């Protein structure tokens, strides 16, 4: 089983469900606060691999939903700068599973770690579509 460093927003119900699924699959999960980590651009960039820049963003973030930030018009450098100044914009969770990294719960290595598809939709925000937001910070 893998040792997983799981960068989450504390208090996020979706992240809590995701961590529980990984633990239930037998993995050792180490939770870290994504908002308190002193990120560097090079380090953060490693979690996104070859995915499109727009997919790096947390589409449920208030600044994105309000239109203040448009992920689809950002290049890599500006996206990283935005995320370093406001970690709530980072797609969560950030996963480091024994050196394999990803952003989000709907791609590798997460799918292999769970040994199943995302049938129960653990990748979606549990507040999405409710009109409610998580508390900031």
């Amino acid at each position: 089983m893998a040792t997983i460093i799981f960068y989450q927003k504390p208090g996020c119900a979706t992240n809590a469900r995701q961590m529980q699924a990984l633990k239930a699959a037998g993995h050792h999960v180490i939770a870290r606060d994504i908002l308190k980590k002193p990120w560097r651009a090079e380090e953060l960039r490693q979690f996104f691999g070859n995915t499109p820049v727009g997919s790096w963003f947390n589409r449920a973030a208030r600044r994105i939903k309000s239109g203040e930030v448009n992920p689809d018009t950002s290049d890599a450098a500006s996206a990283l700068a935005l995320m370093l100044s406001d970690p709530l914009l980072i797609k969560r969770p950030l996963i480091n599973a024994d050196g394999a990294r990803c952003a989000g719960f709907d791609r590798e290595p997460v799918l292999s770690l769970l040994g199943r598809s995302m049938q129960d939709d653990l990748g979606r925000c549990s507040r999405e579509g409710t009109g409610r937001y998580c508390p900031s910070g």
Side-chain angles (χ1 to χ4, degrees), residues 7-131:
Y7 292 97
Q8 64 159 338
K9 180 178 129 185
C12 173
T14 302
N15 286 166
R17 286 191 347 259
Q18 293 165 337
M19 282 191 292
Q20 185 55 42
L22 290 167
K23 289 176 183 176
H27 302 291
H28 177 62
V29 180
I30 302 167
R32 301 264 169 86
D33 187 336
I34 198 170
L35 304 176
K36 292 187 178 176
K37 168 99 169 95
W39 293 105
R40 292 174 299 129
E42 319 75 60
E43 180 184 23
L44 186 56
R45 176 67 182 88
Q46 293 176 17
F47 288 90
F48 304 124
N50 294 325
T51 60
V53 173
S55 73
W56 301 0
F57 287 86
N58 171 13
R59 298 287 177 146
R62 284 187 193 184
R63 292 179 64 197
I64 292 173
K65 287 194 171 236
S66 74
E68 178 185 344
V69 173
N70 183 347
D72 299 317
T73 61
S74 291
D75 61 31
S78 61
L80 290 168
L82 281 166
M83 292 174 188
L84 292 175
S85 68
D86 183 359
L88 289 173
L89 295 172
I90 302 169
K91 181 172 182 155
R92 297 187 309 270
L94 294 181
I95 301 279
N96 181 340
D98 295 331
R101 293 176 176 86
C102 72
F105 210 72
D106 57 350
R107 54 182 51 121
E108 291 298 336
V110 174
L111 298 176
S112 293
L113 291 167
L114 291 175
R116 60 185 171 83
S117 68
M118 296 301 298
Q119 295 172 1
D120 54 359
D121 207 14
L122 288 168
R124 268 190 57 203
C125 176
S126 57
R127 292 181 183 242
E128 192 171 317
T130 66

